[in-house]
Amino acid sequence: MKPECISLTCFTMSKRKGKVISDPTTVKSRRVTVGGLEDAPDDRNYQEPSSNKFTHTGDIGLIESITVKNFMCHYLLGPFQFGPHVNFIVGNNGSGKSAILTALIVGLGGKATVTNRGVSLKDFVKFGENTADITVKLRNRGPDAYKRDIYGDCISIQHRISVDGCRTCRLRSKSGQLISNKKEELTAILDHFNIQLDNPVSILNQEMSKQFLHSKSEADKYKFFMKATLLEQMKRDYIHIKHTKTVTRQQVERQEECLKDLKQEFLQRKERYENLSSFSEMKEVLENLKKTMAWCLVREKEQLVQQLKEDIEKEENNYTHQYNLQLCQTKVIQVDKTLQCIKSRIDSLREEQESLSEDNLKMKEQVKVIRKAHKEQELVYFRALNKLKQSEQEQNLLLEKINKAKTSGSLNSEGETQYMKRQKTLSRLKEQLAELDDQCSQLNQEIKNNHQALFKGKEEQDKLRLEERNIQVAYESKLKRKNQLLASRSNKLKRFGDHVPDLLGSIAEAYATGRFVKRPVGPIGACISLKDPALAVAVECCLRSFMKAFCCDNYKDEAVLQELMSRFYPRGNRPQIIVSPFSEKVYNIHGRKACHPEYPAVLDIITATSPVIINCLIDMRGIESILIIKEKERARRVMQQGWPPKNCREAFTAEGDQVYPNRYYTSDFSMAKFLGGDLETEISMLDSDLENHQAQLSRFQLHVTSVSEDILTMESKLNNTIMTLKKTLVSVNEVKATITELETVGDEQIDDINSLEEVAAENQQKIEAEKQTVHEAKTEFDKYRKMAEDADSKYSSVRERIDQLSEDMEPLKDEHLKLEAECGRHERNLKIFEHKLKIHEDNIQAMKSELSSKEDELQEYLAKATKISPERQQVTSSTKKIDIEITRLKNKIRVYESNYGEQEQVVREYAEALALYREKTNQVRDLRKFIDRLDNIMSDRQNRYKIMRHSL
């Protein structure tokens, strides 16, 4: 077949003038947006006729090399090093010329259809392989280099195509460092280097060239010209810009319609501003009621102080907690003594096991060395033996030839006898060949069984390692949780993350400097409390990620908070930010709240420090329509048997299970992380879990070691079987050769007897020497075999002793674990009793402190009441009735204020409406001017485009 050639010209680019645009989105948008708003001609692509402009031509965008693997029908091509100018690739059909051009298009991000070699990327993966790899290196030098401080002098583009048609792209620097794996970055590089994969001037494949050369239509050639010169793309860009301009003009017209509504609102606020009035009479009545309320509160405080004194005296006479603590301390001491005895025995056995393990490792290495030497000597011995057998067979054949030559004169009388002997020998050799074939079949079956056993062993090893890894992950997770709880002893905010206190400090500093319009609120979990602590798990399962979320009033505050979070959290791992206008009142949810006579909604059992938190949870989670039903059976019965309660869409149990009318999800939470109150109990439980995980890891590691040793043994056995099969195949070949020689012996001529006898004598001397070599190799082989057997025996005895120690330690470990569990239980009880005693004492102290504070509050209330009303008033009504009267009066004032509004608020709203109306009017006027100016510019550029087309 005649060799063909294909010319491959490296891509070059026209050097860009002005600022190099490296942002991918900016580069892409340049194709479809207007370059500027001025009426001056666009000179960005203008090149002055100066020699300095071409100093660095060819330094960027050149293809330095390409390497493909498992691509199309080629296992490996390249690396092909290209020159800076014209390159030719020649070779026979099927040698890979077209594959290089196709790989170049695909490697630079082109589609499969562009290559005309396939309809999908999976067509390019070599048959029988899973992936295909393409590596293209582009030169990146000179002042116009693309991000040279990051990529260096060379950009390496690596594409991997999988058999299912997916591909991954990795962009690396000259040193091999991974820079990016995004398609947008590759597009920016190609745009910067002016590499156009779909332009036939840059890449002209065979199909396109045939179509261009064979086409007789002038219209097709003109379309080809328009596509090659990018005039077609320019025309589409102008059409898109005109369409966008029309849509923008329509939007401005709609904004002008909205200005009418804004003007109407401005006139309404102006009318309210002109109709203000005062409410002095109602406010005076309100002040009198406040005086009465002040002395009523003083009376209630006096009653509360008296009740606290009685409660303190009752608590001081309770000694139950001291007795329980002493009893638990005695149990802990007894269990600890027993635990120390068992621990000392386990330590002694473990020390002996560790010493034996060291000996075991040394002996294992020694056994490996001896086995290796034994196998090598075995190979030497069998080679010498096979050589001796071959020589003896040659000698036997030679002697047969001599006998045949000597008896050739008497063929007439003894010809029949020689033929019968040869036939008998052939039958005997054929029987021997059948036996060897059976032996090969048995060895193949044994190899297959060994492969299956080895596969199962490796599968078990992988399963054990996976379980070990899962336990390790659980261990690290619980250790991290324990450290978080330990840190939260001093600061409860650390339950929500180690960086939350610092983040809140930064928020406070930013708010103090005026960066926030309104101070963000969060985390939500730190701003809520429960009326019933037993429902903490249910509430956390309901809110989940919202426990760590923050609330912002507007998007400006959200951007500032994102910037503060970037100092403490990496991107993608930051707390959620919910943007919603803050309100001073809780939403009116009457009519859409889930109501049930027995079970409360989530909204009913939580209290928050701000109405913003409640409103946020209503918007984002719908807590008004979620019920809390403690028992699982009742939850199923209420939600799934018949119709659920009105406005109720889901429910949660006390254990965190989520119940829908048509499905049920079991919770994976066992304890509250953020709203739980018993911190020490959770830490002690985590300590116990960590110890259990540590023990499980130790057992898995021992099991994995044992399985690995079994795999090594099976591999050794498999290798021995393979060696035996190879030796048997050698014998089969020798027998087949002998049979062939006997079958063709009748056609051979009789050799010279004297020369055959001389050769036989030489072969006999050679056989004697080889027998001596075999004897020496056999002696050395027996020596190494005995050494290997002795080493295996010692190694087995040490392993048996280690296993015996492990068996002896198991019951001790079990008892140790039981005693540790019992000791831990007593210690937890001890901590609980200590905690209860401390709580009891703290409760008494708190009650005393509360009594002191209440007395101080009483004095403050007295001072305030005296200040409000110097004479003590005799109060007959309760605070509730007075409060109702005050509320009624405030509502009446609020009705007036809702009609007319407060003076400052009305003045402020009027000023804001006036400023907003003026601002929007100016914006619409400026936008219309901008569109008219853009229209003039686009008309001018359209005329220039038509002139350029006519000139072309």
Side-chain angles (χ1 to χ4, degrees):
M1 184 174 292
K2 296 175 64 178
E4 296 180 357
C5 71
I6 178 172
S7 64
L8 175 64
T9 304
C10 295
F11 292 108
T12 61
M13 61 164 283
S14 61
K15 186 177 176 186
R16 300 201 172 202
K17 309 299 174 212
K19 184 178 179 181
V20 177
I21 301 175
S22 59
D23 188 5
T25 54
T26 307
V27 172
K28 287 176 134 183
S29 64
R30 290 176 59 185
R31 300 179 181 175
V32 295
T33 58
V34 181
L37 298 178
E38 298 181 359
D39 238 337
D42 189 359
D43 60 351
R44 288 178 300 165
N45 293 325
Y46 175 72
Q47 297 182 353
E48 296 180 2
S50 174
S51 60
N52 295 332
K53 296 295 180 179
F54 300 95
T55 302
H56 300 282
T57 300
D59 286 345
I60 59 173
L62 293 182
I63 302 172
E64 293 186 346
S65 67
I66 182 171
T67 305
V68 297
K69 183 178 181 183
N70 296 331
F71 187 79
M72 294 178 71
C73 59
H74 304 282
Y75 172 72
L76 178 64
L77 287 177
F80 286 95
Q81 303 292 337
F82 296 109
H85 301 294
V86 179
N87 294 271
F88 292 91
I89 300 175
V90 298
N92 295 328
N93 288 344
S95 60
K97 303 185 300 298
S98 299
I100 295 172
L101 182 60
T102 304
L104 186 61
I105 297 173
V106 176
L108 291 176
K111 298 180 180 179
T113 54
V114 178
T115 64
N116 285 327
R117 290 286 177 173
V119 296
S120 176
L121 291 176
K122 63 183 179 181
D123 297 335
F124 298 132
V125 181
K126 188 175 182 294
F127 181 75
E129 301 292 338
N130 294 326
T131 58
D133 296 321
I134 304 172
T135 302
V136 180
K137 292 186 178 180
L138 300 179
R139 185 174 297 176
N140 189 43
R141 302 174 185 170
D144 288 341
Y146 182 81
K147 298 182 181 179
R148 187 174 181 181
D149 55 339
I150 298 176
Y151 288 97
D153 293 342
C154 178
I155 299 177
S156 180
I157 304 171
Q158 297 178 354
H159 267 81
R160 170 162 288 185
I161 305 171
S162 61
V163 74
D164 56 357
C166 298
R167 69 166 153 189
T168 57
C169 176
R170 291 182 173 86
L171 302 176
R172 299 184 182 273
S173 64
K174 182 178 181 181
S175 60
Q177 181 182 1
L178 178 63
I179 303 301
S180 176
N181 56 2
K182 294 182 178 180
K183 175 73 173 179
E184 292 79 5
E185 182 72 5
L186 177 59
T187 304
I189 292 173
L190 297 180
D191 194 16
H192 184 82
F193 291 163
N194 199 19
I195 297 175
Q196 302 166 6
L197 298 177
D198 56 350
N199 192 337
V201 173
S202 297
I203 298 177
L204 184 62
N205 54 44
Q206 294 179 4
E207 296 298 327
M208 184 65 73
S209 62
K210 290 178 182 178
Q211 180 182 356
F212 176 71
L213 294 174
H214 294 170
S215 176
K216 297 181 180 179
S217 173
E218 297 295 334
D220 293 340
K221 291 183 179 181
Y222 181 73
K223 290 180 181 179
F224 182 85
F225 164 75
M226 292 289 288
K227 184 176 182 182
T229 57
L230 297 181
L231 290 175
E232 184 179 356
Q233 176 65 31
M234 189 182 299
K235 180 179 179 182
R236 289 199 299 267
D237 291 344
Y238 277 125
I239 293 172
H240 175 71
I241 293 171
K242 283 187 175 182
H243 175 70
T244 306
K245 181 195 67 177
T246 304
V247 174
T248 306
R249 188 184 296 276
Q250 292 174 357
Q251 291 179 353
V252 171
E253 291 174 356
R254 287 196 294 270
Q255 291 295 329
E256 289 178 345
E257 294 295 329
C258 294
L259 275 178
K260 296 179 181 179
D261 298 335
L262 193 62
K263 183 177 181 180
Q264 186 66 28
E265 182 180 358
F266 161 68
L267 294 176
Q268 291 177 359
R269 294 189 177 182
K270 183 177 180 182
E271 182 181 358
R272 290 175 58 190
Y273 173 73
E274 295 172 351
N275 294 326
L276 290 175
S277 61
S278 63
F279 318 113
S280 57
E281 183 178 352
M282 285 187 290
K283 289 183 178 179
E284 182 178 355
V285 176
L286 182 62
E287 289 298 326
N288 293 332
L289 287 174
K290 288 181 179 178
K291 292 179 182 179
T292 306
M293 173 64 81
W295 284 106
C296 185
L297 291 173
V298 169
R299 186 188 65 181
E300 289 185 353
K301 287 292 179 182
E302 290 173 348
Q303 295 175 354
L304 183 59
V305 167
Q306 182 63 30
Q307 182 65 33
L308 276 174
K309 289 180 179 179
E310 296 175 358
D311 293 340
I312 290 171
E313 183 178 0
K314 180 179 178 182
E315 290 293 329
E316 287 178 344
N317 295 328
N318 188 3
Y319 300 101
T320 304
H321 299 291
Q322 289 87 342
Y323 173 75
N324 292 334
L325 180 61
Q326 293 175 358
L327 183 62
C328 188
Q329 287 175 345
T330 305
K331 291 182 180 179
V332 169
I333 293 171
Q334 293 175 354
V335 174
D336 190 55
K337 288 180 180 178
T338 308
L339 187 62
Q340 291 299 327
C341 294
I342 293 178
K343 187 176 181 182
S344 62
R345 291 175 61 191
I346 292 176
D347 291 339
S348 62
L349 292 176
R350 186 177 286 112
E351 289 175 0
E352 183 180 356
Q353 188 180 29
E354 290 175 355
S355 63
L356 288 175
S357 298
E358 294 177 358
D359 296 339
N360 181 43
L361 292 175
K362 293 178 181 178
M363 293 182 69
K364 186 176 180 180
E365 294 297 328
Q366 185 179 1
V367 166
K368 287 182 179 179
V369 173
I370 294 174
R371 284 179 179 174
K372 184 177 180 182
H374 174 257
K375 289 181 179 180
E376 292 175 354
Q377 188 60 36
E378 182 182 9
L379 184 61
V380 171
Y381 167 68
F382 281 109
R383 282 178 181 173
L385 187 61
N386 290 334
K387 190 175 181 182
L388 175 61
K389 289 180 179 180
Q390 188 176 0
S391 298
E392 289 178 348
Q393 289 177 359
E394 292 176 356
Q395 182 71 2
N396 292 333
L397 291 174
L398 191 58
L399 292 175
E400 288 180 3
K401 286 183 180 181
I402 294 171
N403 292 331
K404 180 180 178 181
K406 288 181 179 180
T407 57
S408 61
S410 59
L411 284 176
N412 294 331
S413 60
E414 297 179 1
E416 185 177 356
T417 304
Q418 294 293 333
Y419 175 77
M420 292 177 65
K421 287 182 179 180
R422 190 164 57 250
Q423 292 299 322
K424 289 180 181 179
T425 304
L426 281 173
S427 63
R428 178 175 56 80
L429 289 175
K430 288 181 178 179
E431 291 175 359
Q432 184 179 357
L433 180 62
E435 292 176 358
L436 290 174
D437 288 336
D438 293 339
Q439 188 177 355
C440 287
S441 299
Q442 293 176 359
L443 290 173
N444 283 323
Q445 184 62 34
E446 185 176 352
I447 290 171
K448 182 178 179 181
N449 295 336
N450 289 336
H451 272 299
Q452 292 178 353
L454 184 62
F455 175 78
K456 290 181 180 179
K458 289 184 178 179
E459 188 177 15
E460 182 181 1
Q461 185 185 36
D462 294 339
K463 189 182 297 182
L464 289 172
R465 286 178 177 169
L466 179 61
E467 293 177 359
E468 180 184 359
R469 195 179 303 113
N470 293 336
I471 295 174
Q472 183 69 31
V473 170
Y475 176 83
E476 292 174 356
S477 175
K478 291 189 177 180
L479 182 60
K480 181 179 179 182
R481 177 61 181 167
K482 176 188 174 184
N483 294 333
Q484 197 174 35
L485 290 176
L486 291 175
S488 65
R489 284 176 171 173
S490 58
N491 192 341
K492 290 185 178 181
L493 290 174
K494 288 192 175 182
R495 286 192 177 190
F496 301 89
D498 297 332
H499 303 295
V500 171
D502 297 334
L503 176 60
L504 292 179
S506 300
I507 291 173
E509 292 177 2
Y511 181 73
T513 56
R515 296 184 62 187
F516 289 107
V517 178
K518 291 185 180 181
R519 181 171 180 173
V521 181
I524 290 178
C527 300
I528 64 174
S529 58
L530 303 180
K531 297 178 181 179
D532 186 0
L535 300 176
V537 175
V539 174
E540 284 193 14
C541 289
C542 174
L543 301 182
R544 289 188 178 271
S545 62
F546 293 112
M547 295 293 294
K548 295 184 178 181
F550 285 77
C551 301
C552 284
D553 176 73
N554 52 75
Y555 287 101
K556 178 180 177 298
D557 291 349
E558 189 260 349
V560 177
L561 183 57
Q562 284 282 12
E563 189 269 332
L564 295 178
M565 285 184 177
S566 65
R567 304 176 187 174
F568 306 99
Y569 298 95
R571 182 175 294 276
N573 196 24
R574 299 175 186 172
Q576 184 179 358
I577 300 177
I578 302 168
V579 181
S580 179
F582 288 359
S583 174
E584 299 297 330
K585 300 177 183 179
V586 178
Y587 293 155
N588 182 9
I589 57 172
H590 181 73
R592 58 190 178 97
K593 180 176 178 294
C595 298
H596 195 277
E598 298 180 24
Y599 309 113
V602 177
L603 178 62
D604 298 327
I605 65 170
I606 64 173
T607 56
T609 57
S610 172
V612 173
I613 300 296
I614 301 297
N615 292 340
C616 176
L617 293 178
I618 290 173
D619 289 336
M620 302 301 296
R621 191 63 183 91
I623 58 175
E624 77 280 4
S625 61
I626 303 174
L627 292 180
I628 300 295
I629 306 174
K630 292 185 177 181
E631 297 81 8
K632 297 180 180 179
E633 293 77 10
R634 288 180 177 271
R636 289 180 182 273
R637 185 165 59 250
V638 171
M639 295 296 295
Q640 297 179 350
Q641 295 181 4
W643 292 99
K646 183 180 179 182
N647 297 328
C648 177
R649 58 185 179 87
E650 59 181 301
F652 282 87
T653 66
E655 297 176 359
D657 296 348
Q658 192 173 12
V659 187
Y660 286 96
N662 56 350
R663 56 192 185 277
Y664 187 97
Y665 297 107
T666 303
S667 172
D668 52 359
F669 286 93
S670 60
M671 183 177 295
K673 292 183 178 180
F674 307 103
L675 301 177
D678 194 357
L679 187 64
E680 299 298 306
T681 302
E682 186 175 356
I683 292 175
S684 62
M685 291 179 66
L686 287 173
D687 287 334
S688 177
D689 292 340
L690 289 173
E691 291 174 359
N692 291 336
H693 286 320
Q694 191 67 36
Q696 290 178 0
L697 283 175
S698 300
R699 288 197 295 272
F700 271 112
Q701 289 170 357
L702 290 174
H703 197 176
V704 169
T705 303
S706 176
V707 172
S708 300
E709 292 175 356
D710 293 339
I711 289 174
L712 291 176
T713 303
M714 287 188 286
E715 288 177 347
S716 175
K717 185 177 179 182
L718 177 62
N719 292 332
N720 292 335
T721 307
I722 292 173
M723 289 297 297
T724 305
L725 178 61
K726 289 181 180 179
K727 294 175 183 177
T728 306
L729 291 174
V730 170
S731 300
V732 169
N733 293 332
E734 291 175 355
V735 172
K736 287 181 178 179
T738 305
I739 291 173
T740 304
E741 185 176 358
L742 288 174
E743 288 176 349
T744 58
V745 71
D747 299 330
E748 296 180 354
Q749 295 181 356
I750 301 173
D751 299 326
D752 184 64
I753 297 176
N754 292 330
S755 62
L756 291 176
E757 287 179 348
E758 290 177 0
V759 174
E762 292 176 359
N763 286 346
Q764 187 62 36
Q765 293 177 0
K766 183 179 177 182
I767 288 171
E768 294 298 330
E770 288 178 353
K771 284 183 178 180
Q772 182 63 27
T773 303
V774 169
H775 179 70
E776 293 175 356
K778 182 69 168 60
T779 305
E780 194 69 19
F781 173 64
D782 294 338
K783 174 184 174 182
Y784 278 104
R785 182 175 60 187
K786 189 174 183 306
M787 291 173 62
E789 290 175 354
D790 295 340
D792 287 338
S793 177
K794 292 180 181 179
Y795 178 67
S796 299
S797 63
V798 173
R799 288 296 308 167
E800 289 176 359
R801 179 57 183 164
I802 292 175
D803 294 339
Q804 183 64 34
L805 289 175
S806 298
E807 292 177 359
D808 294 341
M809 287 173 63
E810 284 301 322
L812 292 176
K813 286 182 179 179
D814 292 339
E815 186 159 355
H816 183 266
L817 290 174
K818 291 179 182 178
L819 288 174
E820 281 186 340
E822 185 178 356
C823 183
R825 187 173 64 255
H826 289 314
E827 287 178 352
R828 287 195 295 272
N829 292 335
L830 180 62
K831 290 180 180 179
I832 291 172
F833 290 138
E834 290 176 349
H835 183 62
K836 287 183 177 180
L837 180 59
K838 187 175 182 302
I839 290 175
H840 178 67
E841 294 174 351
D842 293 344
N843 189 24
I844 294 175
Q845 189 64 31
M847 291 173 70
K848 291 181 179 179
S849 300
E850 186 179 0
L851 176 61
S852 177
S853 64
K854 293 298 181 184
E855 289 177 346
D856 294 339
E857 288 180 6
L858 177 59
Q859 295 300 323
E860 291 177 2
Y861 274 80
L862 280 171
K864 289 180 181 179
T866 304
K867 186 176 181 180
I868 295 172
S869 176
E871 296 182 1
R872 179 159 186 163
Q873 299 183 8
Q874 298 296 327
V875 182
T876 56
S877 301
S878 64
T879 55
K880 185 175 181 181
K881 292 182 179 179
I882 298 174
D883 185 57
I884 291 173
E885 185 64 22
I886 291 174
T887 303
R888 185 187 65 79
L889 191 57
K890 284 183 178 180
N891 289 333
K892 189 174 181 181
I893 293 173
R894 192 177 297 112
V895 170
Y896 279 91
E897 289 178 348
S898 64
N899 292 331
Y900 300 102
E902 296 181 358
Q903 183 175 0
E904 295 179 357
Q905 181 180 359
V906 171
V907 172
R908 184 175 65 253
E909 289 178 352
Y910 169 71
E912 289 175 355
L914 178 61
L916 182 61
Y917 175 71
R918 289 177 178 175
E919 180 185 0
K920 293 299 180 182
T921 304
N922 294 332
Q923 287 180 357
V924 172
R925 184 179 66 253
D926 294 341
L927 283 174
R928 184 166 289 280
K929 289 181 179 179
F930 168 77
I931 292 173
D932 294 338
R933 190 173 183 183
L934 180 62
D935 193 10
N936 295 330
I937 293 172
M938 292 307 301
S939 298
D940 180 68
R941 292 199 175 187
Q942 182 70 19
N943 293 331
R944 294 187 184 186
Y945 169 74
K946 292 179 179 178
I947 294 171
M948 184 176 67
R949 281 192 57 187
H950 287 305
S951 65
L952 290 175

